[in-house]
Amino acid sequence: DVKVTQSSRYLVKRTGEKVFLECVQDMDHENMFWYRQDPGLGLRLIYFSYDVKMKEKGDIPEGYSVSREKKERFSLILESASTNQTSMYLCASSLPGSGHTDTQYFGPGTRLTVL
Amino acid sequence: LAKTTQPISMDSYEGQEVNITCSHNNIATNDYITWYQQFPSQGPRFIIQGYKTKVTNEVASLFIPADRKSSTLSLPRVSLSDTAVYYCLVGDPSGNNDMRFGAGTRLTVKP
């Protein structure tokens, strides 16, 4: 089974802090994704990565950056956390071109609260 | 990006069949239709994917009419454990990463 793990289930930070959210997958997937999920808005794509050192902006990249130094690890960085970044953050990975599915496998999520 | 429209919420009772319809009027030729399920405090998980006509697996069936401008996820004989949010996505799964999650449909199954 594919396993996607996220470094923390719950995180509390203060406004202005630099925040790192880590995601690791164990299936050698090339694609990795970061989403945030807010009530009534569903999942919104922040950034994704096709391969090591590759990154693409999603729909809401402002205030975030990412790092992919190793294939299995994709980090989301909040350079200066703000209260409007309080949210559930979900990481996912997929293997492109795997038949027709390109199924995304999700981690359990990190609930971040910025005070 | 193909946009999808789903009902915000639905209620059902145990043992009933539930059909959730998704509209995707601007679906492209290479696009597939994919459904995910999300339980509280978990990430979404893949349920089913199809291109046309009907697809069935152990969890659900997916019905896609000839014009492909909509699709219906069918859950047979739901139980309380099927209470979840269901997302419809449309896009090319060949690796272009153009699939997007919307707000989903919150299904509540009552006893």
Side-chain angles (χ1 to χ4, degrees):
Chain A
D1 276 355
V2 176
K3 190 151 188 192
V4 179
T5 56
Q6 295 183 229
S7 50
S8 306
R9 289 302 303 269
Y10 300 93
L11 208 54
V12 179
K13 295 292 182 181
R14 296 208 173 273
T15 301
E17 279 193 79
K18 190 168 186 176
V19 182
F20 292 88
L21 302 182
E22 306 285 344
C23 175
V24 177
Q25 49 95 3
D26 66 357
M27 283 300 292
D28 203 35
H29 283 175
E30 289 166 14
N31 291 350
M32 295 189 75
F33 309 80
W34 273 106
Y35 295 88
R36 64 176 283 175
Q37 184 170 31
D38 301 288
L41 298 178
L43 281 79
R44 293 181 290 167
L45 182 64
I46 303 172
Y47 268 97
F48 59 96
S49 169
Y50 290 106
D51 204 344
V52 175
K53 297 193 186 297
M54 304 293 289
K55 60 184 180 183
E56 295 285 342
K57 292 180 179 178
D59 299 324
I60 52 165
E62 297 77 21
Y64 303 94
S65 62
V66 290
S67 172
R68 185 127 182 241
E69 296 297 319
K70 293 184 178 181
K71 193 172 186 178
E72 67 271 18
R73 188 180 296 270
F74 192 35
S75 303
L76 180 69
I77 303 156
L78 287 65
E79 295 289 343
S80 177
S82 64
T83 54
N84 63 12
Q85 292 178 310
T86 292
S87 185
M88 170 69 82
Y89 289 88
L90 289 156
C91 174
S93 72
S94 74
L95 187 64
S98 52
H100 294 303
T101 62
D102 196 25
T103 301
Q104 292 189 32
Y105 295 87
F106 282 83
T110 295
R111 184 165 294 282
L112 172 67
T113 302
V114 182
L115 302 175
Chain B
L1 301 177
K3 183 175 170 58
T4 60
T5 303
Q6 305 173 233
I8 293 174
S9 63
M10 294 180 69
D11 289 343
S12 182
Y13 291 92
E14 282 189 294
Q16 289 187 334
E17 178 184 74
V18 170
N19 295 308
I20 305 174
T21 298
C22 179
S23 298
H24 27 81
N25 290 320
N26 61 342
I27 189 169
T29 303
N30 293 334
D31 288 346
Y32 279 68
I33 300 149
T34 310
W35 286 80
Y36 283 76
Q37 175 190 56
Q38 185 179 23
F39 296 116
S41 301
Q42 294 184 25
R45 68 170 188 142
F46 171 90
I47 302 177
I48 197 166
Q49 185 181 73
Y51 184 80
K52 62 180 179 180
T53 62
K54 177 183 174 182
V55 179
T56 297
N57 62 22
E58 65 278 5
V59 176
S61 295
L62 179 59
F63 298 93
I64 306 167
D67 68 4
R68 304 198 329 121
K69 293 184 183 300
S70 67
S71 58
T72 299
L73 176 73
S74 181
L75 304 171
R77 297 180 299 282
V78 294
S79 64
L80 297 177
S81 62
D82 292 315
T83 292
V85 178
Y86 293 83
Y87 296 93
C88 165
L89 285 76
V90 171
D92 183 347
S94 64
N96 293 336
N97 294 306
D98 63 349
M99 291 191 176
R100 293 293 188 268
F101 287 82
T105 297
R106 181 174 298 278
L107 172 67
T108 302
V109 180
K110 302 175 182 178

